[in-house]
Amino acid sequence: MRECVLCPRECKVNRLEGRIGYCKVSGKIKAARAALHFWEEPCISGERGSGAVFFSGCSMGCVFCQNEGISHGKTGKTITIERLADIFLQLQNEQKAHNINLVTPTHYVPQIAEALEKAKERGLEIPVVYNSSGYEKPETLHRMEGLVDIYLPDFKYMDGEIAKKYSRAEDYSFWAKQALAEMVRQVSEAEFDEDGMMRKGVIVRHLLLPGCRRDSKAVLRYLAETYGNKIFISLMNQYTPMPGIEKYPELSRKITKREYEWMIEYALDLGIENGFIQEGDTAKESFIPPFDGEGV
């Protein structure tokens, strides 16, 4: 982090001295919320909720981001590695979370790894979920080997032009493919407990965007042909147009029911069996939690 290359942006700024790179945060851990979260996949949230720790900052900066308040580093509280370890244990022991859910952790991997090691020495035993954009370097993920039980990455785009337009990351699929391969290497076989809660495995999320059906099909095809049923695929229709998206008029609407049905049918045609779909009206801002510092 003295010359930060944790993510594919490779800003090479000294974050330990307070310099800020693309992720918009320094080397000090900044978190905006640590609480039970009930809006993940059923095998992650369960009945008691996932112990989600939302970290401030993000290496992606998507124009349609639903968590803009924290992804731009504007919201959150600075905490120590020791405090982060305490938070993990509180989520397990006091709130009875099914798991620890690290939301947007990439730019804090060294500190999070140390906090997890400290917490595990003190009795942390529930699964740890690494919940990220998928825009990762395998070298960074190596640090999490043995500490993470469940990888929950996005696979946002296959087309470089779309990735460039909406996330300024034309190399997104290049890195997402490598990152996913490393995640699967680390936790290749899915495991569930007697209640259907995931204990180990990989779930890849893909968010449908308006007008990007061809790219979504390319993503699903790649995942199916490369990994088959070794991974789970979560096909999401929850895209919600946020204030300011008017600059991208094609993104100013939700996904239609028919568009989503087309993608489900395509996934079935590909032979995808291990998957999750969303039902009901998930595309609304009420599904976005308040980043008010709870639990931090």
Side-chain angles (χ1 to χ4, degrees):
M1 295 180 71
R2 294 186 187 281
E3 191 175 340
C4 192
V5 290
L6 285 174
C7 85
R9 304 285 185 187
E10 296 192 338
C11 299
K12 297 184 179 180
V13 300
N14 191 336
R15 292 175 57 209
L16 294 181
E17 290 187 354
R19 299 291 178 86
I20 294 175
Y22 195 94
C23 62
K24 297 182 172 59
V25 286
S26 71
K28 295 181 178 180
I29 306 170
K30 196 174 180 182
R33 179 181 173 87
L36 296 176
H37 192 63
F38 296 90
W39 301 313
E40 308 288 33
E41 286 74 10
C43 63
I44 301 294
S45 289
E47 294 183 357
R48 298 195 303 273
S50 178
V53 182
F54 289 86
F55 294 97
S56 301
C58 180
S59 61
M60 282 293 286
C62 303
V63 299
F64 51 82
C65 181
Q66 294 180 319
N67 296 341
E68 187 174 324
I70 59 170
S71 64
H72 289 188
K74 298 176 182 177
T75 304
K77 178 181 178 181
T78 299
I79 58 175
T80 63
I81 290 173
E82 289 72 21
R83 174 57 187 151
L84 183 57
D86 288 341
I87 288 172
F88 294 155
L89 290 167
Q90 287 171 355
L91 288 168
Q92 172 184 272
N93 300 333
E94 297 175 18
Q95 300 200 44
K96 309 301 180 184
H98 286 291
N99 44 59
I100 299 299
N101 189 346
L102 309 170
V103 185
T104 322
T106 311
H107 43 291
Y108 295 121
V109 158
Q111 301 98 315
I112 291 172
E114 187 174 342
L116 283 171
E117 289 167 347
K118 290 178 179 294
K120 286 176 181 288
E121 289 174 359
R122 294 166 54 193
L124 182 69
E125 58 185 9
I126 56 176
V128 174
V129 181
Y130 190 94
N131 184 342
S132 85
S133 68
Y135 194 48
E136 306 271 359
K137 293 175 64 176
E139 298 90 339
T140 300
L141 294 172
H142 289 169
R143 183 66 179 90
M144 304 306 293
E145 186 166 6
L147 297 173
V148 169
D149 304 283
I150 300 167
Y151 278 104
L152 186 60
D154 293 337
F155 202 116
K156 295 179 182 289
Y157 319 102
M158 190 64 72
D159 187 294
E161 288 302 312
I162 297 176
K164 180 179 181 180
K165 183 176 183 180
Y166 296 146
S167 300
R168 287 180 286 180
E170 57 267 36
D171 58 351
Y172 177 86
S173 65
F174 171 81
W175 290 106
K177 290 176 180 178
Q178 292 192 60
L180 181 54
E182 172 61 19
M183 294 172 183
V184 172
R185 184 193 70 79
Q186 290 185 24
V187 286
S188 58
E189 299 297 329
E191 296 178 5
F192 297 83
D193 66 17
E194 61 276 8
D195 297 318
M197 297 300 298
M198 181 173 269
R199 302 288 302 177
K200 180 182 176 184
V202 178
I203 302 175
V204 181
R205 290 170 162 172
H206 178 66
L207 175 68
L208 272 64
L209 294 175
C212 296
R213 185 167 52 151
R214 180 178 296 178
D215 195 51
S216 289
K217 291 173 72 173
V219 169
L220 293 181
R221 186 166 59 251
Y222 173 79
L223 295 176
E225 292 177 351
T226 307
Y227 296 102
N229 286 311
K230 185 175 261 189
I231 63 172
F232 283 73
I233 298 174
S234 183
L235 191 57
M236 303 190 299
N237 68 348
Q238 67 188 49
Y239 172 73
T240 304
M242 302 299 288
I245 201 64
E246 295 81 11
K247 298 176 184 177
Y248 302 86
E250 70 276 16
L251 296 182
S252 295
R253 67 172 180 85
K254 299 177 182 180
I255 293 294
T256 67
K257 181 179 179 180
R258 185 57 187 143
E259 284 174 318
Y260 191 49
E261 289 173 347
W262 278 332
M263 293 312 301
I264 293 173
E265 291 169 4
Y266 185 71
L268 293 173
D269 288 342
L270 289 171
I272 295 173
E273 297 177 357
N274 293 341
F276 299 93
I277 60 173
Q278 293 182 317
E279 298 177 336
D281 186 13
T282 59
K284 54 186 179 181
E285 293 183 40
S286 62
F287 278 77
I288 303 170
F291 300 116
D292 53 7
E294 179 182 352
V296 178

